[in-house]
Amino acid sequence: MTKKQALPVQKNEEYIVTIEDLTHEGHGVGKVDGYPLFIPLALPGEKVKTKVVKTTKNFGFGRLMENLEPSEDRVEPPCPVYYKCGGCQLQHLSYEGQLKAKQKQVEDVLERIGKLKNVTVHPTLGMEDPWRYRNKSQVPVGIENGRVIAGFYAQRSHDIIDVNECIIQEQVSDQVMNLVKKEAEKFGITPYDEARHKGILRHVVIRYGRTSGEVMVVLVTRTKNLPHADELVEVLRDQIEGLTSVVHNINDQKTNVILGNKNRTLWGRDVIYDSIGDVRFAISARSFYQINPIQTEVLYKKALEYAQLNGDESVIDAYCGIGTISLFLAQKAKHVFGVEIVEQAIEDAKANAELNGFTNTSFKAGLAEEVIPAWHDEGNKADVIVVDPPRKGCDQALLDTILAMQPKRVVYVSCNPATLARDLRILEDGGYETKEVQPVDMFPQTSHVECVAQLVLKV
Ligand code: SAH
């Protein structure tokens, strides 16, 4: 039997460390004899006293006990529930600092995981006003001491923190959230009790079309009926400017998924509209749609620039969702072929293409790693391939097909720098060169990093 190696730290002991880095979750990293401790709320450059709360073989977690040398980039978080809520991770870092940290994270991960040495990673494109950007809010409703509460889940839990305001969401979301809370209490509409799977009202979902000013309110219940629906609609109509649609959604399952399968429009339209650049989108209660419309335009413009289209190209948009990037590209390409696994999203994509009068797009529901190889086998060619996969990155079969199809350019949109780096390595080994990477801050105040990369086929 091998003896267990002693760790350089012990649980419940305190240490003084200098923070060297920030993890993708926004935790500071400090080392004791080379052993990394992840310390929430500590910032790079700071010297802190930390108490070890958990250890594993290769790393541990510490609590920030005392900040001995605070960073110049540290700011007072403006949100009063910041330290309790799980929504934001970086409000204690200046916005400038957040943008720099995100750029550095991308650089580091490209080098560490992707073994990419001299790739240009541009400074993160940030927002002029990095607040009130979220166009969609999903607010859980609960009960506390007999009162209806609504707000957000605490970090890593389903305990609801009651809030009246969230400063990263649109103002109208606050208004709706507070109104529904008040009216639910008045009419005795019982909030859902997750532990016992009892009660009625589970979530209020608010969606806002920034360019149209249109508001959709979705009331999610466990029960088939929503008591006092008419009265609720009346108050919302009376008090919410821009109200366009009120939808009742039924979710009777024991699940973390917010929306159920059944929708019933209580008042107004089934959809609201929004535009990104010159392209218009219809958004229904269940449609996937980017949550920061201002930065989405920045991101898509970059993707379009990297695609370098002149009107003659066949373009594939893999993981196309409701066709947002596809339609952006279709403005400049000969034809765009979108692929996406969710059938409803493909229906939305087709409808959105029609809404904008595009005749040079086709959309197919299926796995990107199956549909695109099949297209290749049929002899179809692509001049440019755009991918925008979920966090786990592209499937190997898709990467192999890209290498076999040899498009002149690949544009990789990514919400996870680690899998981006892994996939860029594979494409590099197969004959592509990563020209540049542009981080775009889609989620200010949070630790999420979005990037777009341009790759070209080496000749
Ligand atoms: N490009 C879109 C959506 C990106 S999100 C936009 O910018 O709005 C990633 C999308 O990939 C999701 O819509 C998800 O449903 C889809 N997806 C996940 N795995 C997939 C797969 N294996 N093949 C095709 N689509 C997939």
Side-chain angles (χ1 to χ4, degrees):
M1 240 168 63
T2 47
K3 216 171 130 211
K4 228 169 121 188
Q5 191 105 33
L7 297 176
V9 301
Q10 300 229 334
K11 204 174 151 185
N12 293 325
E13 289 293 311
E14 291 189 341
Y15 302 86
I16 289 172
V17 293
T18 300
I19 304 300
E20 297 168 20
D21 215 344
L22 209 58
T23 69
H24 69 277
E25 288 173 308
H27 300 165
V29 188
K31 289 183 182 150
V32 179
D33 294 339
Y35 178 87
L37 286 174
F38 300 129
I39 308 166
L41 301 171
L43 291 174
E46 292 185 332
K47 195 183 203 186
V48 302
K49 188 191 273 179
T50 180
K51 184 172 181 169
V52 176
V53 290
K54 188 180 168 184
T55 58
T56 70
K57 199 167 142 236
N58 299 317
F59 56 85
F61 289 89
R63 185 175 303 136
L64 177 59
M65 304 304 283
E66 198 183 332
N67 207 333
L68 305 168
E69 280 171 28
S71 159
E72 281 179 7
D73 289 331
R74 181 173 280 279
V75 293
E76 194 57 42
C79 172
V81 295
Y82 173 61
Y83 293 115
K84 286 196 262 169
C85 177
C88 296
Q89 300 79 36
L90 294 177
Q91 278 197 24
H92 60 293
L93 177 58
S94 70
Y95 192 52
E96 192 96 326
Q98 293 178 26
L99 297 176
K100 283 208 189 103
K102 289 182 185 189
Q103 178 188 15
K104 178 168 184 296
Q105 198 198 321
V106 176
E107 278 167 353
D108 289 353
V109 104
L110 287 181
E111 195 166 332
R112 188 162 44 86
I113 299 176
K115 311 276 176 263
L116 291 154
K117 291 254 151 39
N118 296 312
V119 174
T120 306
V121 177
H122 296 286
T124 311
L125 294 172
M127 297 186 81
E128 225 164 87
D129 178 13
W131 303 100
R132 297 276 182 207
Y133 60 84
R134 275 194 79 106
N135 61 8
K136 176 180 166 187
S137 307
Q138 313 194 99
V139 183
V141 183
I143 200 149
E144 194 175 74
N145 302 327
R147 303 216 57 159
V148 177
I149 57 167
F152 299 96
Y153 292 129
Q155 290 165 30
R156 279 180 272 279
S157 94
H158 270 200
D159 295 340
I160 299 169
I161 300 169
D162 191 29
V163 298
N164 299 323
E165 183 182 46
C166 166
I167 54 178
I168 63 165
Q169 72 185 15
E170 287 285 352
Q171 212 114 32
V172 69
S173 291
D174 290 344
Q175 287 163 11
V176 173
M177 180 168 86
N178 292 325
L179 195 62
V180 172
K181 212 181 329 190
K182 195 170 99 198
E183 297 302 313
E185 180 138 339
K186 185 168 107 196
F187 291 122
I189 306 171
T190 10
Y192 178 61
D193 176 342
E194 195 176 326
R196 294 187 303 138
H197 195 50
K198 288 256 161 35
I200 301 170
L201 189 58
R202 296 175 73 129
H203 272 85
V204 186
V205 178
I206 305 120
R207 306 193 80 155
Y208 178 68
R210 209 190 136 77
T211 54
S212 64
E214 294 177 352
V215 179
M216 172 183 280
V217 176
V218 187
L219 301 160
V220 187
T221 64
R222 179 189 64 86
T223 48
K224 271 206 190 71
N225 282 327
L226 169 62
H228 302 279
D230 293 347
E231 285 102 324
L232 282 172
V233 166
E234 204 178 305
V235 201
L236 286 165
R237 283 183 64 185
D238 186 47
Q239 299 203 22
I240 301 301
E241 205 189 312
L243 189 76
T244 308
S245 167
V246 184
V247 175
H248 174 203
N249 175 277
I250 302 164
N251 185 356
D252 57 9
Q253 302 293 304
K254 278 189 178 175
T255 169
N256 284 342
V257 178
I258 293 172
L259 293 178
N261 291 326
K262 283 186 219 114
N263 268 345
R264 173 166 77 100
T265 302
L266 295 174
W267 177 83
R269 285 204 308 254
D270 300 339
V271 295
I272 56 168
Y273 291 99
D274 192 26
S275 302
I276 297 176
D278 294 329
V279 188
R280 205 163 165 236
F281 296 95
I283 306 154
S284 68
R286 289 163 54 81
S287 303
F288 172 85
Y289 188 62
Q290 296 281 355
I291 58 128
N292 183 336
I294 298 176
Q295 291 299 86
T296 298
E297 184 171 353
V298 174
L299 180 74
Y300 291 179
K301 273 195 176 146
K302 211 20 117 178
L304 187 59
E305 179 192 320
Y306 282 174
Q308 290 176 340
L309 304 176
N310 62 28
D312 296 331
E313 297 85 355
S314 268
V315 182
I316 291 176
D317 179 18
Y319 311 90
C320 70
I322 60 164
T324 18
I325 296 181
S326 318
L327 300 186
F328 231 70
L329 298 164
Q331 301 175 98
K332 296 271 169 67
K334 185 159 130 218
H335 202 98
V336 180
F337 300 86
V339 190
E340 155 69 42
I341 190 177
V342 177
E343 281 189 32
Q344 181 58 49
I346 288 295
E347 292 311 310
D348 288 350
K350 288 178 183 165
N352 285 325
E354 210 175 295
L355 178 72
N356 290 279
F358 285 111
T359 51
N360 60 339
T361 55
S362 327
F363 294 97
K364 188 161 172 61
L367 292 168
E369 60 270 27
E370 289 179 7
V371 173
I372 298 169
W375 284 345
H376 177 53
D377 289 346
E378 288 160 16
N380 295 313
K381 298 196 171 11
D383 301 295
V384 177
I385 296 183
V386 178
V387 298
D388 182 8
R391 290 191 64 77
K392 68 173 187 216
C394 292
D395 193 274
Q396 180 70 45
L398 174 62
L399 295 171
D400 290 342
T401 305
I402 293 175
L403 294 178
M405 285 180 101
Q406 301 218 317
K408 289 196 269 301
R409 283 174 293 285
V410 175
V411 179
Y412 196 132
V413 182
S414 160
C415 56
N416 182 351
T419 53
L420 171 70
R422 179 200 69 198
D423 292 350
L424 291 184
R425 178 76 266 152
I426 295 168
L427 293 170
E428 289 253 343
D429 291 343
Y432 283 84
E433 183 188 348
T434 308
K435 282 286 182 197
E436 50 188 302
V437 180
Q438 176 64 64
V440 177
D441 195 21
M442 297 285 276
F443 313 103
Q445 319 308 331
T446 79
S447 54
H448 296 284
V449 184
E450 188 93 13
C451 288
V452 50
Q454 188 198 42
L455 294 101
V456 297
L457 185 64
K458 280 189 260 186
V459 278

